[in-house]
Amino acid sequence: MLCDRIEIKSHVEPAQVKLGLGSGYAQVSLGLGSSENVYTKINGDCQMQCALCEQKKCSNGKDCSTIKADVEYTGRNLESMKISAHIESRYYMEKTRLEELILYARGMGYEKLGIAFCIGLEKEAKIIHEILAQDFNVFSVCCKVCGIDKDSYGLEKLHNSGFEAVCNPVGQALVLNNEKTELNIILGLCIGHDILFTSHSQAPVTTLAVKDRVLAHNPLGAIYSNYYLKHRFNTKD
């Protein structure tokens, strides 16, 4: 287990070893001034939490995991890794994500692409469809496909009365599966709907845009804003 591999050095100050046994966890931080590795033990199980590590020595070759011997890239997985590395090394900070998507799909030899989009981004979907259609055979499907009433499943409505079509991510996946697309692209599907679409898609899925109407479809804006961090998420300065 990962926690068993931690050696607490004598130079570690008491404040750097944090125990919260009453709440069922023990957090151990190693290093002076910043955390080298952070593991959390919850109810006897050890969890790797790389997001809390401040040094990321894995980028220089250190292995903190127990899975390295099980990792192997072959076949199409290796081909995908090569195409991704090619795009990163040659076009880093030069190409937009849409351009990178086109380069990746070309490199993988894909011919049929699918777009599963939110009706709220129909204008964007039309433009993206037309751009991708210059190089690929493109199929696009709206989230309201099939026109199913929310009342059919007893779902809450955005508006209080009248017909309201349900978002249909499983239907979107089935449409693109029937077209035998080779890569499917999510464009602004709601949280949860994107998960259902991905789980039912037979083709691999990439996300071009995440819906966030409050922040102009830029979810990371919430953590770049001091106001949101302090007043919405109760984080410290």
Side-chain angles (χ1 to χ4, degrees):
M1 294 179 61
L2 291 172
C3 290
D4 295 335
R5 297 172 59 185
I6 296 175
E7 297 180 5
I8 299 180
K9 306 298 184 180
S10 60
H11 63 256
V12 176
E13 298 296 330
Q16 293 176 282
V17 181
K18 306 172 185 178
L19 299 179
L21 300 179
S23 57
Y25 74 90
Q27 187 179 71
V28 181
S29 300
L30 299 184
L32 291 172
S34 62
S35 299
E36 179 176 338
N37 299 303
V38 179
Y39 302 98
T40 301
K41 195 167 187 177
I42 302 177
N43 297 325
D45 294 326
C46 198
Q47 298 181 359
M48 195 169 196
Q49 299 188 343
C50 292
L52 304 182
C53 173
E54 296 178 3
Q55 296 190 16
K56 305 293 189 298
K57 289 190 175 181
C58 53
S59 63
N60 294 318
K62 182 178 180 181
D63 179 21
C64 297
S65 75
T66 60
I67 64 168
K68 187 173 183 178
D70 299 321
V71 176
E72 184 178 9
Y73 292 94
T74 60
R76 289 289 279 176
N77 289 339
L78 179 57
E79 189 173 351
S80 177
M81 292 290 284
K82 289 181 177 180
I83 297 299
S84 297
H86 171 83
I87 294 171
E88 179 187 29
S89 64
R90 300 199 181 190
Y91 304 108
Y92 190 66
M93 297 184 68
E94 292 183 6
K95 298 292 187 182
T96 64
R97 182 59 176 239
L98 181 56
E99 290 172 305
E100 289 180 339
L101 170 60
I102 293 170
L103 289 171
Y104 177 83
R106 284 177 184 166
M108 292 295 290
Y110 294 141
E111 297 180 356
K112 301 174 71 173
L113 305 187
I115 304 173
F117 68 94
C118 168
I119 195 171
L121 277 75
E122 59 178 326
K123 293 181 181 179
E124 293 86 344
K126 182 176 185 294
I127 295 171
I128 292 169
H129 186 128
E130 292 173 346
I131 290 172
L132 294 179
Q134 297 175 23
D135 295 279
F136 309 97
N137 190 7
V138 182
F139 303 84
S140 52
V141 56
C142 174
C143 63
K144 301 300 183 182
V145 65
C146 299
I148 301 171
D149 194 339
K150 281 189 175 181
D151 287 338
S152 300
Y153 292 98
L155 302 178
E156 291 187 33
K157 296 183 178 181
L158 183 61
H159 309 289
N160 292 328
S161 61
F163 175 85
E164 192 169 315
V166 65
C167 292
N168 186 10
V170 173
Q172 288 177 291
L174 290 176
V175 167
L176 298 181
N177 290 345
N178 288 338
E179 299 293 351
K180 296 183 176 4
T181 53
E182 297 164 291
L183 176 67
N184 289 332
I185 302 157
I186 287 178
L187 182 63
L189 297 188
C190 296
I191 182 67
H193 298 159
D194 55 352
I195 296 169
L196 285 173
F197 175 80
T198 300
S199 64
H200 286 82
S201 172
Q202 293 176 356
V205 178
T206 187
T207 298
L208 183 60
V210 175
K211 178 190 289 180
D212 190 328
R213 296 191 186 281
V214 175
L215 297 174
H217 309 305
N218 175 27
L220 290 181
I223 64 170
Y224 296 147
S225 164
N226 289 331
Y227 174 85
Y228 270 90
L229 289 178
K230 182 176 180 180
H231 298 285
R232 296 293 184 90
F233 301 118
N234 299 317
T235 62
K236 298 179 180 180
D237 295 336

